[in-house]
Structures are given as structure tokens and as C-alpha cells.
Amino acid sequence: MGLAGAALLAAGVLVVAPSAVSGGGPLAAATDCPDVEVIFARGTSEPPGVGRVGQALVDSLREQTGLNIDAYGVNYPAGRLQLGGGDGANDTISRVKSVVQTCPNTKIVLGGYSQGASVMDIVAGVPVGGITWGNALPAQYADHVVALATFGNIADRSGTPISSQSQLLGSKTIDVCNPSDPICHAGPGNQWSGHTEGYVPVYTDQAARFIAARLLAGQPHLPGDSQPQPT
């Protein structure tokens, strides 16, 4: 090989080597991992994805923290008969396991609205009405979950919210109930619009503040951090 050929070969190594390193090594895997992944279960009859409430929560979290946040919409039917909660819980757990395996340093936030909140009841090990289908999150994955937020959870109406009932995730949970929402609040003055329209942006912003404090400070509970109380 002449000097010209050697020079070309060396140049080829210089060009190819960096791309080879960045294509599949640990550095690339770390770079592709977000700071946070929000796993959110949408409400009844919403199209696949995180839904209106979930998207508002994610948007508020991005604004409040400045972190790189990915969103995953729980894959479950969300039909009117509400028979897919177990499927949603199992998909949530599968997604948590996947994130932990591929991106162990990514912080996980769970959430659900309406029927999606019932999905999170199952994940947290406190299903409403003693529902037996679907599984609770295995305890070894709980440390990867920084926070959980539910909106319009029927468990609140019966006085069994995740925040007070779940040994697994209760201390990390904010259960948000709009006082005019008949799904989660049994008091007077309830109206259906309180459930369908009452959470964005006031309550999604409040839940985002609760979650952001934990993402940024890593504290299980901050003094003076309050949850909305039904009136």
C-alpha cells in the first residue's frame, strides 16, 4: 500500500469510528434516555394517548422543571363499560419494567384521569371495590416511581384514595378531586362538567407543582405541600 492509500485508510477510520461509537454503545443509550417518563392512563372514551388531562400535566411539568420529559399513554380500551382496568394496570407495569431496564436513571411519574385513575388504583395495590383483575406494581420497582397523580378518581368518593391507602405508593401520591366533580365528590353542587372540564389547567398545574418538587428536590414530602380538599 502506498502513502496515498494509507492516508485514505486513516481518514476513513477517523470518519467511521465516531459514528460507530455513537451508534450502539452505552453512551448512545444514555443520551436517548429522558430525565423523566410520565406514564398516564387516559379517561373513558378518550382516543389513544395520554388524553387531555395527561397532556396538560406533561406540558405543565415541562414548563415548571425544564427537564427532558417523555410521555407514554397507557394501552388499554378505556371503554364505557370500564372492563379494561386490569389491562391498563398490566400495561403500566410492563412499561415501568421496560423503562427501568433500558433507562435505569430515568425518573418515572404515574398518572391517570377518571377511568385511568382506577387503573392506577390497581397499580398501587388498592383497587376500588376489591377488583381482582390486573396486578399491583411489584415492590422492587416502587423506588423508580417518583410520584403518582390521579384526577377524578372514584376512590376519593368512597374515602379510599391512593394517598392514604397504598403502602406501595401512597406517600408519593396526590389525589386531585375538583369539588364539583360527581365522580370523586359526593357533596352538593356537583355537575358533570366538573368532571369533564374541571381539571385543566388549575388542577393539572397543582399536581405538576407537587410532582416537580419531587423531581427537582427528591424529597418524599415537602412541608406545607397541600392537596385540594373537597368542600
Side-chain angles (χ1 to χ4, degrees), residues 175-225:
D175 296 289
V176 182
C177 178
N178 178 4
S180 65
D181 180 355
I183 296 298
C184 58
H185 183 221
N190 291 340
Q191 50 190 345
W192 187 241
S193 62
H195 183 69
T196 58
E197 303 295 333
Y199 287 97
V200 179
V202 174
Y203 290 102
T204 49
D205 284 349
Q206 180 171 2
R209 287 193 295 272
F210 175 93
I211 297 167
R214 284 144 185 79
L215 290 174
L216 297 176
Q219 298 181 14
H221 188 74
L222 299 179
D225 194 1

